[in-house]
PDB file of all heavy atoms in Angstrom:
ATOM      1  N   PRO A 784     -20.945   4.276  15.548  1.00 91.00           N
ATOM      2  CA  PRO A 784     -20.713   4.889  16.857  1.00 91.00           C
ATOM      3  C   PRO A 784     -20.708   3.836  17.949  1.00 91.00           C
ATOM      4  O   PRO A 784     -21.528   2.919  17.963  1.00 91.00           O
ATOM      5  CB  PRO A 784     -21.898   5.855  17.005  1.00 91.00           C
ATOM      6  CG  PRO A 784     -22.940   5.363  16.043  1.00 91.00           C
ATOM      7  CD  PRO A 784     -22.181   4.752  14.907  1.00 91.00           C
ATOM      8  N   GLY A 785     -19.754   3.966  18.851  1.00 89.00           N
ATOM      9  CA  GLY A 785     -19.623   2.991  19.920  1.00 89.00           C
ATOM     10  C   GLY A 785     -18.561   1.951  19.645  1.00 89.00           C
ATOM     11  O   GLY A 785     -18.026   1.350  20.574  1.00 89.00           O
ATOM     12  N   LEU A 786     -18.259   1.719  18.370  1.00 92.00           N
ATOM     13  CA  LEU A 786     -17.209   0.759  18.028  1.00 92.00           C
ATOM     14  C   LEU A 786     -15.863   1.452  17.870  1.00 92.00           C
ATOM     15  O   LEU A 786     -14.828   0.925  18.264  1.00 92.00           O
ATOM     16  CB  LEU A 786     -17.571   0.009  16.743  1.00 92.00           C
ATOM     17  CG  LEU A 786     -16.595  -1.085  16.302  1.00 92.00           C
ATOM     18  CD1 LEU A 786     -16.457  -2.162  17.379  1.00 92.00           C
ATOM     19  CD2 LEU A 786     -17.057  -1.722  14.985  1.00 92.00           C
ATOM     20  N   TYR A 787     -15.871   2.640  17.270  1.00 91.00           N
ATOM     21  CA  TYR A 787     -14.653   3.432  17.086  1.00 91.00           C
ATOM     22  C   TYR A 787     -14.699   4.653  17.989  1.00 91.00           C
ATOM     23  O   TYR A 787     -15.768   5.196  18.259  1.00 91.00           O
ATOM     24  CB  TYR A 787     -14.508   3.877  15.630  1.00 91.00           C
ATOM     25  CG  TYR A 787     -14.270   2.751  14.658  1.00 91.00           C
ATOM     26  CD1 TYR A 787     -15.329   2.187  13.954  1.00 91.00           C
ATOM     27  CD2 TYR A 787     -12.997   2.250  14.451  1.00 91.00           C
ATOM     28  CE1 TYR A 787     -15.124   1.148  13.066  1.00 91.00           C
ATOM     29  CE2 TYR A 787     -12.774   1.215  13.562  1.00 91.00           C
ATOM     30  CZ  TYR A 787     -13.840   0.669  12.867  1.00 91.00           C
ATOM     31  OH  TYR A 787     -13.622  -0.359  11.997  1.00 91.00           O
ATOM     32  N   ARG A 788     -13.532   5.117  18.410  1.00 91.00           N
ATOM     33  CA  ARG A 788     -13.458   6.348  19.182  1.00 91.00           C
ATOM     34  C   ARG A 788     -13.670   7.538  18.261  1.00 91.00           C
ATOM     35  O   ARG A 788     -13.303   7.481  17.082  1.00 91.00           O
ATOM     36  CB  ARG A 788     -12.091   6.461  19.863  1.00 91.00           C
ATOM     37  CG  ARG A 788     -11.835   5.401  20.925  1.00 91.00           C
ATOM     38  CD  ARG A 788     -10.472   5.581  21.553  1.00 91.00           C
ATOM     39  NE  ARG A 788      -9.411   5.547  20.557  1.00 91.00           N
ATOM     40  CZ  ARG A 788      -8.119   5.683  20.815  1.00 91.00           C
ATOM     41  NH1 ARG A 788      -7.719   5.877  22.059  1.00 91.00           N
ATOM     42  NH2 ARG A 788      -7.217   5.624  19.852  1.00 91.00           N
ATOM     43  N   PRO A 789     -14.232   8.634  18.761  1.00 90.00           N
ATOM     44  CA  PRO A 789     -14.414   9.827  17.930  1.00 90.00           C
ATOM     45  C   PRO A 789     -13.091  10.273  17.307  1.00 90.00           C
ATOM     46  O   PRO A 789     -12.063  10.352  17.982  1.00 90.00           O
ATOM     47  CB  PRO A 789     -14.936  10.873  18.931  1.00 90.00           C
ATOM     48  CG  PRO A 789     -15.624  10.064  19.983  1.00 90.00           C
ATOM     49  CD  PRO A 789     -14.800   8.806  20.113  1.00 90.00           C
ATOM     50  N   GLY A 790     -13.118  10.535  16.007  1.00 89.00           N
ATOM     51  CA  GLY A 790     -11.918  10.977  15.287  1.00 89.00           C
ATOM     52  C   GLY A 790     -11.127   9.851  14.660  1.00 89.00           C
ATOM     53  O   GLY A 790     -10.329  10.091  13.750  1.00 89.00           O
ATOM     54  N   ASP A 791     -11.317   8.616  15.158  1.00 92.00           N
ATOM     55  CA  ASP A 791     -10.590   7.478  14.593  1.00 92.00           C
ATOM     56  C   ASP A 791     -11.315   6.924  13.370  1.00 92.00           C
ATOM     57  O   ASP A 791     -12.535   7.054  13.245  1.00 92.00           O
ATOM     58  CB  ASP A 791     -10.451   6.357  15.624  1.00 92.00           C
ATOM     59  CG  ASP A 791      -9.441   6.676  16.708  1.00 92.00           C
ATOM     60  OD1 ASP A 791      -8.734   7.692  16.574  1.00 92.00           O
ATOM     61  OD2 ASP A 791      -9.370   5.913  17.693  1.00 92.00           O
ATOM     62  N   TYR A 792     -10.563   6.302  12.490  1.00 95.00           N
ATOM     63  CA  TYR A 792     -11.163   5.592  11.364  1.00 95.00           C
ATOM     64  C   TYR A 792     -10.265   4.427  10.985  1.00 95.00           C
ATOM     65  O   TYR A 792      -9.103   4.354  11.384  1.00 95.00           O
ATOM     66  CB  TYR A 792     -11.380   6.519  10.159  1.00 95.00           C
ATOM     67  CG  TYR A 792     -10.118   7.134   9.574  1.00 95.00           C
ATOM     68  CD1 TYR A 792      -9.407   6.498   8.561  1.00 95.00           C
ATOM     69  CD2 TYR A 792      -9.661   8.365  10.025  1.00 95.00           C
ATOM     70  CE1 TYR A 792      -8.262   7.063   8.014  1.00 95.00           C
ATOM     71  CE2 TYR A 792      -8.521   8.939   9.486  1.00 95.00           C
ATOM     72  CZ  TYR A 792      -7.822   8.295   8.487  1.00 95.00           C
ATOM     73  OH  TYR A 792      -6.689   8.854   7.951  1.00 95.00           O
ATOM     74  N   ASP A 793     -10.832   3.509  10.225  1.00 96.00           N
ATOM     75  CA  ASP A 793     -10.060   2.359   9.750  1.00 96.00           C
ATOM     76  C   ASP A 793     -10.252   2.233   8.254  1.00 96.00           C
ATOM     77  O   ASP A 793     -11.279   2.650   7.700  1.00 96.00           O
ATOM     78  CB  ASP A 793     -10.514   1.082  10.453  1.00 96.00           C
ATOM     79  CG  ASP A 793      -9.492  -0.047  10.319  1.00 96.00           C
ATOM     80  OD1 ASP A 793      -8.360   0.223   9.876  1.00 96.00           O
ATOM     81  OD2 ASP A 793      -9.831  -1.191  10.661  1.00 96.00           O
ATOM     82  N   LEU A 794      -9.259   1.667   7.596  1.00 97.00           N
ATOM     83  CA  LEU A 794      -9.268   1.511   6.145  1.00 97.00           C
ATOM     84  C   LEU A 794      -8.951   0.076   5.759  1.00 97.00           C
ATOM     85  O   LEU A 794      -8.121  -0.577   6.392  1.00 97.00           O
ATOM     86  CB  LEU A 794      -8.202   2.405   5.483  1.00 97.00           C
ATOM     87  CG  LEU A 794      -8.400   3.909   5.466  1.00 97.00           C
ATOM     88  CD1 LEU A 794      -7.176   4.566   4.840  1.00 97.00           C
ATOM     89  CD2 LEU A 794      -9.648   4.267   4.678  1.00 97.00           C
ATOM     90  N   ALA A 795      -9.600  -0.391   4.729  1.00 97.00           N
ATOM     91  CA  ALA A 795      -9.223  -1.642   4.077  1.00 97.00           C
ATOM     92  C   ALA A 795      -9.329  -1.441   2.577  1.00 97.00           C
ATOM     93  O   ALA A 795     -10.169  -0.668   2.101  1.00 97.00           O
ATOM     94  CB  ALA A 795     -10.129  -2.788   4.519  1.00 97.00           C
ATOM     95  N   GLY A 796      -8.467  -2.104   1.842  1.00 97.00           N
ATOM     96  CA  GLY A 796      -8.476  -1.996   0.389  1.00 97.00           C
ATOM     97  C   GLY A 796      -8.541  -3.363  -0.251  1.00 97.00           C
ATOM     98  O   GLY A 796      -8.093  -4.366   0.330  1.00 97.00           O
ATOM     99  N   PHE A 797      -9.116  -3.393  -1.438  1.00 97.00           N
ATOM    100  CA  PHE A 797      -9.289  -4.646  -2.175  1.00 97.00           C
ATOM    101  C   PHE A 797      -8.990  -4.364  -3.645  1.00 97.00           C
ATOM    102  O   PHE A 797      -9.540  -3.425  -4.218  1.00 97.00           O
ATOM    103  CB  PHE A 797     -10.730  -5.165  -2.035  1.00 97.00           C
ATOM    104  CG  PHE A 797     -11.232  -5.146  -0.620  1.00 97.00           C
ATOM    105  CD1 PHE A 797     -11.815  -4.007  -0.105  1.00 97.00           C
ATOM    106  CD2 PHE A 797     -11.091  -6.253   0.190  1.00 97.00           C
ATOM    107  CE1 PHE A 797     -12.280  -3.972   1.210  1.00 97.00           C
ATOM    108  CE2 PHE A 797     -11.538  -6.229   1.501  1.00 97.00           C
ATOM    109  CZ  PHE A 797     -12.127  -5.085   2.016  1.00 97.00           C
ATOM    110  N   SER A 798      -8.128  -5.162  -4.236  1.00 97.00           N
ATOM    111  CA  SER A 798      -7.787  -4.943  -5.635  1.00 97.00           C
ATOM    112  C   SER A 798      -7.758  -6.268  -6.385  1.00 97.00           C
ATOM    113  O   SER A 798      -7.418  -7.310  -5.814  1.00 97.00           O
ATOM    114  CB  SER A 798      -6.423  -4.255  -5.765  1.00 97.00           C
ATOM    115  OG  SER A 798      -6.206  -3.793  -7.091  1.00 97.00           O
ATOM    116  N   VAL A 799      -8.133  -6.199  -7.643  1.00 97.00           N
ATOM    117  CA  VAL A 799      -8.094  -7.373  -8.517  1.00 97.00           C
ATOM    118  C   VAL A 799      -7.257  -7.025  -9.739  1.00 97.00           C
ATOM    119  O   VAL A 799      -7.400  -5.943 -10.329  1.00 97.00           O
ATOM    120  CB  VAL A 799      -9.508  -7.803  -8.940  1.00 97.00           C
ATOM    121  CG1 VAL A 799      -9.452  -8.895 -10.003  1.00 97.00           C
ATOM    122  CG2 VAL A 799     -10.298  -8.290  -7.730  1.00 97.00           C
ATOM    123  N   GLY A 800      -6.372  -7.941 -10.116  1.00 97.00           N
ATOM    124  CA  GLY A 800      -5.545  -7.774 -11.296  1.00 97.00           C
ATOM    125  C   GLY A 800      -5.654  -8.987 -12.194  1.00 97.00           C
ATOM    126  O   GLY A 800      -6.298  -9.983 -11.848  1.00 97.00           O
ATOM    127  N   ALA A 801      -5.021  -8.899 -13.340  1.00 97.00           N
ATOM    128  CA  ALA A 801      -5.042 -10.017 -14.288  1.00 97.00           C
ATOM    129  C   ALA A 801      -3.662 -10.204 -14.892  1.00 97.00           C
ATOM    130  O   ALA A 801      -2.903  -9.252 -15.070  1.00 97.00           O
ATOM    131  CB  ALA A 801      -6.073  -9.762 -15.396  1.00 97.00           C
ATOM    132  N   VAL A 802      -3.347 -11.448 -15.196  1.00 96.00           N
ATOM    133  CA  VAL A 802      -2.096 -11.787 -15.853  1.00 96.00           C
ATOM    134  C   VAL A 802      -2.387 -12.909 -16.839  1.00 96.00           C
ATOM    135  O   VAL A 802      -3.157 -13.825 -16.532  1.00 96.00           O
ATOM    136  CB  VAL A 802      -1.018 -12.207 -14.820  1.00 96.00           C
ATOM    137  CG1 VAL A 802      -1.495 -13.338 -13.937  1.00 96.00           C
ATOM    138  CG2 VAL A 802       0.285 -12.581 -15.511  1.00 96.00           C
ATOM    139  N   GLU A 803      -1.816 -12.818 -18.023  1.00 95.00           N
ATOM    140  CA  GLU A 803      -1.965 -13.914 -18.965  1.00 95.00           C
ATOM    141  C   GLU A 803      -1.342 -15.167 -18.354  1.00 95.00           C
ATOM    142  O   GLU A 803      -0.311 -15.116 -17.680  1.00 95.00           O
ATOM    143  CB  GLU A 803      -1.295 -13.575 -20.292  1.00 95.00           C
ATOM    144  CG  GLU A 803      -1.913 -12.388 -21.034  1.00 95.00           C
ATOM    145  CD  GLU A 803      -3.312 -12.688 -21.589  1.00 95.00           C
ATOM    146  OE1 GLU A 803      -3.828 -13.808 -21.380  1.00 95.00           O
ATOM    147  OE2 GLU A 803      -3.897 -11.785 -22.228  1.00 95.00           O
ATOM    148  N   ARG A 804      -1.977 -16.272 -18.564  1.00 94.00           N
ATOM    149  CA  ARG A 804      -1.629 -17.518 -17.872  1.00 94.00           C
ATOM    150  C   ARG A 804      -0.140 -17.856 -17.977  1.00 94.00           C
ATOM    151  O   ARG A 804       0.472 -18.329 -17.009  1.00 94.00           O
ATOM    152  CB  ARG A 804      -2.468 -18.654 -18.455  1.00 94.00           C
ATOM    153  CG  ARG A 804      -2.470 -19.937 -17.648  1.00 94.00           C
ATOM    154  CD  ARG A 804      -3.421 -20.941 -18.272  1.00 94.00           C
ATOM    155  NE  ARG A 804      -4.772 -20.410 -18.352  1.00 94.00           N
ATOM    156  CZ  ARG A 804      -5.676 -20.544 -17.385  1.00 94.00           C
ATOM    157  NH1 ARG A 804      -5.361 -21.176 -16.272  1.00 94.00           N
ATOM    158  NH2 ARG A 804      -6.895 -20.044 -17.528  1.00 94.00           N
ATOM    159  N   ASP A 805       0.463 -17.594 -19.121  1.00 93.00           N
ATOM    160  CA  ASP A 805       1.860 -17.985 -19.317  1.00 93.00           C
ATOM    161  C   ASP A 805       2.849 -16.954 -18.775  1.00 93.00           C
ATOM    162  O   ASP A 805       4.056 -17.125 -18.920  1.00 93.00           O
ATOM    163  CB  ASP A 805       2.140 -18.249 -20.800  1.00 93.00           C
ATOM    164  CG  ASP A 805       1.885 -17.031 -21.682  1.00 93.00           C
ATOM    165  OD1 ASP A 805       1.367 -16.010 -21.171  1.00 93.00           O
ATOM    166  OD2 ASP A 805       2.190 -17.097 -22.887  1.00 93.00           O
ATOM    167  N   ARG A 806       2.341 -15.889 -18.127  1.00 94.00           N
ATOM    168  CA  ARG A 806       3.235 -14.852 -17.587  1.00 94.00           C
ATOM    169  C   ARG A 806       3.188 -14.780 -16.058  1.00 94.00           C
ATOM    170  O   ARG A 806       3.735 -13.851 -15.471  1.00 94.00           O
ATOM    171  CB  ARG A 806       2.850 -13.475 -18.162  1.00 94.00           C
ATOM    172  CG  ARG A 806       2.853 -13.391 -19.671  1.00 94.00           C
ATOM    173  CD  ARG A 806       4.216 -13.705 -20.261  1.00 94.00           C
ATOM    174  NE  ARG A 806       5.229 -12.753 -19.878  1.00 94.00           N
ATOM    175  CZ  ARG A 806       5.504 -11.630 -20.560  1.00 94.00           C
ATOM    176  NH1 ARG A 806       4.824 -11.342 -21.651  1.00 94.00           N
ATOM    177  NH2 ARG A 806       6.452 -10.822 -20.159  1.00 94.00           N
ATOM    178  N   LEU A 807       2.554 -15.742 -15.444  1.00 95.00           N
ATOM    179  CA  LEU A 807       2.390 -15.733 -13.995  1.00 95.00           C
ATOM    180  C   LEU A 807       3.745 -15.862 -13.294  1.00 95.00           C
ATOM    181  O   LEU A 807       4.609 -16.630 -13.718  1.00 95.00           O
ATOM    182  CB  LEU A 807       1.480 -16.891 -13.576  1.00 95.00           C
ATOM    183  CG  LEU A 807       1.037 -16.946 -12.113  1.00 95.00           C
ATOM    184  CD1 LEU A 807       0.137 -15.775 -11.773  1.00 95.00           C
ATOM    185  CD2 LEU A 807       0.312 -18.273 -11.842  1.00 95.00           C
ATOM    186  N   LEU A 808       3.924 -15.099 -12.223  1.00 97.00           N
ATOM    187  CA  LEU A 808       5.125 -15.164 -11.379  1.00 97.00           C
ATOM    188  C   LEU A 808       4.759 -15.705  -9.999  1.00 97.00           C
ATOM    189  O   LEU A 808       3.610 -15.590  -9.577  1.00 97.00           O
ATOM    190  CB  LEU A 808       5.744 -13.770 -11.237  1.00 97.00           C
ATOM    191  CG  LEU A 808       6.375 -13.124 -12.466  1.00 97.00           C
ATOM    192  CD1 LEU A 808       6.953 -11.762 -12.077  1.00 97.00           C
ATOM    193  CD2 LEU A 808       7.452 -13.992 -13.075  1.00 97.00           C
ATOM    194  N   PRO A 809       5.758 -16.286  -9.260  1.00 96.00           N
ATOM    195  CA  PRO A 809       7.144 -16.492  -9.664  1.00 96.00           C
ATOM    196  C   PRO A 809       7.286 -17.669 -10.622  1.00 96.00           C
ATOM    197  O   PRO A 809       6.484 -18.604 -10.591  1.00 96.00           O
ATOM    198  CB  PRO A 809       7.849 -16.788  -8.338  1.00 96.00           C
ATOM    199  CG  PRO A 809       6.778 -17.401  -7.484  1.00 96.00           C
ATOM    200  CD  PRO A 809       5.506 -16.716  -7.870  1.00 96.00           C
ATOM    201  N   ARG A 810       8.317 -17.597 -11.467  1.00 94.00           N
ATOM    202  CA  ARG A 810       8.610 -18.707 -12.355  1.00 94.00           C
ATOM    203  C   ARG A 810       9.265 -19.830 -11.563  1.00 94.00           C
ATOM    204  O   ARG A 810       9.827 -19.610 -10.497  1.00 94.00           O
ATOM    205  CB  ARG A 810       9.548 -18.238 -13.474  1.00 94.00           C
ATOM    206  CG  ARG A 810       8.821 -17.384 -14.493  1.00 94.00           C
ATOM    207  CD  ARG A 810       9.721 -16.624 -15.447  1.00 94.00           C
ATOM    208  NE  ARG A 810      10.988 -17.236 -15.771  1.00 94.00           N
ATOM    209  CZ  ARG A 810      11.887 -16.651 -16.585  1.00 94.00           C
ATOM    210  NH1 ARG A 810      11.622 -15.478 -17.141  1.00 94.00           N
ATOM    211  NH2 ARG A 810      13.026 -17.248 -16.834  1.00 94.00           N
ATOM    212  N   GLY A 811       9.201 -21.009 -12.091  1.00 91.00           N
ATOM    213  CA  GLY A 811       9.741 -22.165 -11.378  1.00 91.00           C
ATOM    214  C   GLY A 811      11.206 -22.430 -11.634  1.00 91.00           C
ATOM    215  O   GLY A 811      11.748 -23.428 -11.148  1.00 91.00           O
ATOM    216  N   ASP A 812      11.863 -21.531 -12.397  1.00 94.00           N
ATOM    217  CA  ASP A 812      13.247 -21.808 -12.780  1.00 94.00           C
ATOM    218  C   ASP A 812      14.266 -20.978 -12.002  1.00 94.00           C
ATOM    219  O   ASP A 812      15.397 -20.789 -12.451  1.00 94.00           O
ATOM    220  CB  ASP A 812      13.441 -21.589 -14.286  1.00 94.00           C
ATOM    221  CG  ASP A 812      13.091 -20.172 -14.725  1.00 94.00           C
ATOM    222  OD1 ASP A 812      12.457 -19.436 -13.938  1.00 94.00           O
ATOM    223  OD2 ASP A 812      13.448 -19.796 -15.865  1.00 94.00           O
ATOM    224  N   VAL A 813      13.890 -20.466 -10.828  1.00 96.00           N
ATOM    225  CA  VAL A 813      14.865 -19.777  -9.975  1.00 96.00           C
ATOM    226  C   VAL A 813      15.885 -20.792  -9.474  1.00 96.00           C
ATOM    227  O   VAL A 813      15.516 -21.860  -8.968  1.00 96.00           O
ATOM    228  CB  VAL A 813      14.157 -19.104  -8.779  1.00 96.00           C
ATOM    229  CG1 VAL A 813      15.172 -18.517  -7.811  1.00 96.00           C
ATOM    230  CG2 VAL A 813      13.193 -18.016  -9.257  1.00 96.00           C
ATOM    231  N   VAL A 814      17.169 -20.473  -9.647  1.00 97.00           N
ATOM    232  CA  VAL A 814      18.235 -21.406  -9.261  1.00 97.00           C
ATOM    233  C   VAL A 814      19.342 -20.665  -8.535  1.00 97.00           C
ATOM    234  O   VAL A 814      19.452 -19.434  -8.610  1.00 97.00           O
ATOM    235  CB  VAL A 814      18.826 -22.114 -10.506  1.00 97.00           C
ATOM    236  CG1 VAL A 814      17.792 -22.997 -11.185  1.00 97.00           C
ATOM    237  CG2 VAL A 814      19.399 -21.093 -11.492  1.00 97.00           C
ATOM    238  N   ALA A 815      20.166 -21.418  -7.822  1.00 97.00           N
ATOM    239  CA  ALA A 815      21.342 -20.846  -7.174  1.00 97.00           C
ATOM    240  C   ALA A 815      22.210 -20.152  -8.214  1.00 97.00           C
ATOM    241  O   ALA A 815      22.420 -20.680  -9.312  1.00 97.00           O
ATOM    242  CB  ALA A 815      22.133 -21.936  -6.457  1.00 97.00           C
ATOM    243  N   GLY A 816      22.696 -18.980  -7.887  1.00 97.00           N
ATOM    244  CA  GLY A 816      23.484 -18.183  -8.812  1.00 97.00           C
ATOM    245  C   GLY A 816      22.710 -17.028  -9.413  1.00 97.00           C
ATOM    246  O   GLY A 816      23.311 -16.072  -9.922  1.00 97.00           O
ATOM    247  N   ASP A 817      21.362 -17.104  -9.395  1.00 98.00           N
ATOM    248  CA  ASP A 817      20.567 -15.948  -9.830  1.00 98.00           C
ATOM    249  C   ASP A 817      20.834 -14.780  -8.890  1.00 98.00           C
ATOM    250  O   ASP A 817      21.171 -14.958  -7.710  1.00 98.00           O
ATOM    251  CB  ASP A 817      19.072 -16.282  -9.818  1.00 98.00           C
ATOM    252  CG  ASP A 817      18.672 -17.190 -10.967  1.00 98.00           C
ATOM    253  OD1 ASP A 817      19.423 -17.263 -11.956  1.00 98.00           O
ATOM    254  OD2 ASP A 817      17.606 -17.835 -10.868  1.00 98.00           O
TER     255      ASP A 817
END
Side-chain angles (χ1 to χ4, degrees):
L786 183 60
Y787 293 96
R788 294 180 303 180
D791 287 352
Y792 62 90
D793 197 11
L794 289 176
F797 313 87
S798 192
V799 172
V802 55
E803 296 290 2
R804 194 176 302 271
D805 60 353
R806 303 300 296 271
L807 188 66
L808 292 181
R810 286 167 30 181
D812 58 346
V813 174
V814 295
D817 286 340

